[in-house]
Amino acid sequence: QVQLVESGGGLAQAGESLRLSCVVSGSFGRVNTMGWYRQVSVKQRELVATITSGGSTNYADSKKGRFTISRDNAKNTVYLQMNSLKPEDTGVYYCNAGLDYGLGVRNYWGQGTQVTVSS
């Protein structure tokens, strides 16, 4: 089975930095787009940043210039460098990965990691 294991969350003061990591393990084919999402309600998660297998990135407007998403394909790992943190960045961040088995892309989610930013 595929697992996404996240790490790096924790407490930070406004203006500080955190680095989130998510490693994908298990049996799968090609890893397509990977991303980070923040829980905003019981049923909804908002996009924070995504990165394609080729390295193209996409960010939420509020994260541009502060957050950087990257990936290491050899390690099946995606990172989120969060700089200049703000209290409004607080939340549970989830890792997502689209895995292509040849019959379409299946999306997998991590367990989530808490990020708390104090003023």
Side-chain angles (χ1 to χ4, degrees):
Q1 291 190 358
V2 173
Q3 293 187 51
L4 279 64
V5 181
E6 299 149 318
S7 62
L11 302 175
Q13 293 185 335
E16 294 183 340
S17 299
L18 289 173
R19 180 179 172 86
L20 307 183
S21 299
C22 173
V23 59
V24 182
S25 63
S27 180
F28 52 87
R30 181 188 181 193
V31 181
N32 289 349
T33 300
M34 306 178 78
W36 291 93
Y37 296 76
R38 185 174 70 95
Q39 192 81 36
V40 296
S41 68
V42 175
K43 298 182 178 181
Q44 184 175 342
R45 294 171 183 174
E46 68 175 6
L47 183 149
V48 175
T50 62
I51 183 168
T52 68
S53 60
S56 297
T57 59
N58 182 41
Y59 297 92
D61 288 339
S62 62
K63 315 304 181 184
K64 291 181 179 178
R66 299 189 299 118
F67 289 14
T68 302
I69 188 170
S70 61
R71 63 191 287 168
D72 186 335
N73 291 330
K75 297 181 179 180
N76 294 320
T77 301
V78 62
Y79 306 94
L80 184 67
Q81 179 68 43
M82 303 184 292
N83 296 329
S84 301
L85 284 166
K86 302 177 180 180
E88 52 262 43
D89 295 323
T90 294
V92 179
Y93 286 73
Y94 292 86
C95 175
N96 174 270
L99 306 183
D100 190 347
Y101 294 88
L103 298 175
V105 178
R106 300 176 184 177
N107 289 312
Y108 292 84
W109 293 93
Q111 79 286 352
T113 183
Q114 177 69 45
V115 172
T116 302
V117 184
S118 63
S119 60

